[in-house]
Amino acid sequence: MKLHTASRAPNPRRVLMFLAEKRVLDRFELVNVDLNAQEHKSAAFRAKSPLARVPALELPDGRVLTETRAICTYAEGLFPEPNLMGVDATERAFIEMADRRVEWYFMLPIGHCIRHTHPGLAPLEQPQFPEFGRSQGEKLREVAAWLDAELQRQPWVAGERLTIADITAFCAIEFARLMRFQAGAEGFHALQAWRDRMAARPSAQV
């Protein structure tokens, strides 16, 4: 299977880390898409991903899966161990809740802030709205306070073990380095300690 990915972009990194935690990354052919060169907007790539988004996974039957969560769900079904998305209906629901909270309320404001304030991303975000970007940076800190409180009472984002929610949160907080956000420097010490544990995992090196 071909996995179309992009270096340094957080959503492709989520899939790469997920597959690395599954210890199956070597079963996928990685195809890098150069976002700065606008390769994701080419006709050839749009034939695979009509909305010009990465990652995209070409299945053996020729169909293409896009959307990070969908690709991870597919991989979880193919390679059920180690489990990262829940072993029964209740655990799956709570892990999905945590993952979606992190994605929508933590990762999304980070993305908006960076895309609208970082000059290096201007070619990918036209027009940029710097004031909107700065407001999203403030929302990030509100959610970081919530996440820090969660990690003061439990070791991982969704509870007692590492799950897909930790991968999403880690890729988000690493992307936030582009806006000079560092959890420890902001007083979020539990969040910083969790980030450091995640960074020490082999999957964080992909």
Side-chain angles (χ1 to χ4, degrees):
M1 290 180 282
K2 287 185 180 180
L3 177 62
H4 297 265
T5 184
S7 61
R8 298 189 301 276
N11 281 322
R13 189 180 185 187
R14 288 166 66 191
V15 172
L16 294 174
M17 283 190 69
F18 189 87
L19 297 175
E21 286 289 342
K22 291 279 187 186
R23 298 186 289 275
V24 295
L25 185 56
D26 60 350
R27 302 194 188 190
F28 293 79
E29 178 185 349
L30 303 184
V31 180
N32 189 63
V33 178
D34 189 337
L35 301 183
N36 289 330
Q38 306 284 308
E39 287 182 359
H40 59 303
K41 295 185 178 180
S42 68
F45 187 73
R46 281 185 183 272
K48 298 178 175 65
S49 179
L51 296 176
R53 297 289 191 268
V54 286
L57 178 65
E58 291 190 58
L59 304 185
D61 63 7
R63 291 181 295 169
V64 179
L65 265 177
T66 62
E67 302 302 328
T68 297
R69 178 82 190 199
I71 294 171
C72 290
T73 297
Y74 180 73
E76 180 91 341
L78 285 182
F79 312 105
E81 297 297 335
N83 179 278
L84 297 174
M85 299 179 78
V87 297
D88 58 27
T90 300
E91 191 185 30
R92 281 194 297 271
F94 276 94
I95 291 171
E96 182 170 353
M97 178 179 71
D99 190 42
R100 297 294 278 174
R101 282 175 170 174
V102 168
E103 182 177 35
W104 282 95
Y105 309 131
F106 191 60
M107 175 175 269
L108 192 60
I110 291 169
H112 284 324
C113 180
I114 293 170
R115 291 177 72 94
H116 286 279
T117 63
H118 197 290
L121 274 78
L124 299 177
E125 192 67 49
Q126 285 296 324
Q128 283 186 314
F129 296 100
E131 186 175 344
F132 168 70
R134 287 189 290 271
S135 75
Q136 293 296 292
E138 293 306 312
K139 291 183 184 298
L140 153 68
R141 287 164 172 84
E142 294 174 11
V143 181
W146 161 77
L147 188 53
D148 185 75
E150 291 288 283
L151 290 165
Q152 289 178 41
R153 66 181 185 85
Q154 62 193 33
W156 302 100
V157 172
E160 296 302 313
R161 68 183 183 91
L162 181 139
T163 69
I164 189 174
D166 294 283
I167 293 171
T168 301
F170 178 73
C171 292
I173 202 169
E174 291 300 279
F175 193 47
R177 293 165 67 179
L178 288 177
M179 52 182 285
R180 295 184 171 84
F181 175 83
Q182 290 188 333
E186 302 266 352
F188 304 127
H189 300 298
L191 181 56
Q192 182 67 53
W194 163 87
R195 178 265 165 203
D196 294 343
R197 282 190 287 126
M198 286 293 296
R201 299 182 70 84
S203 65
Q205 309 310 312
V206 299

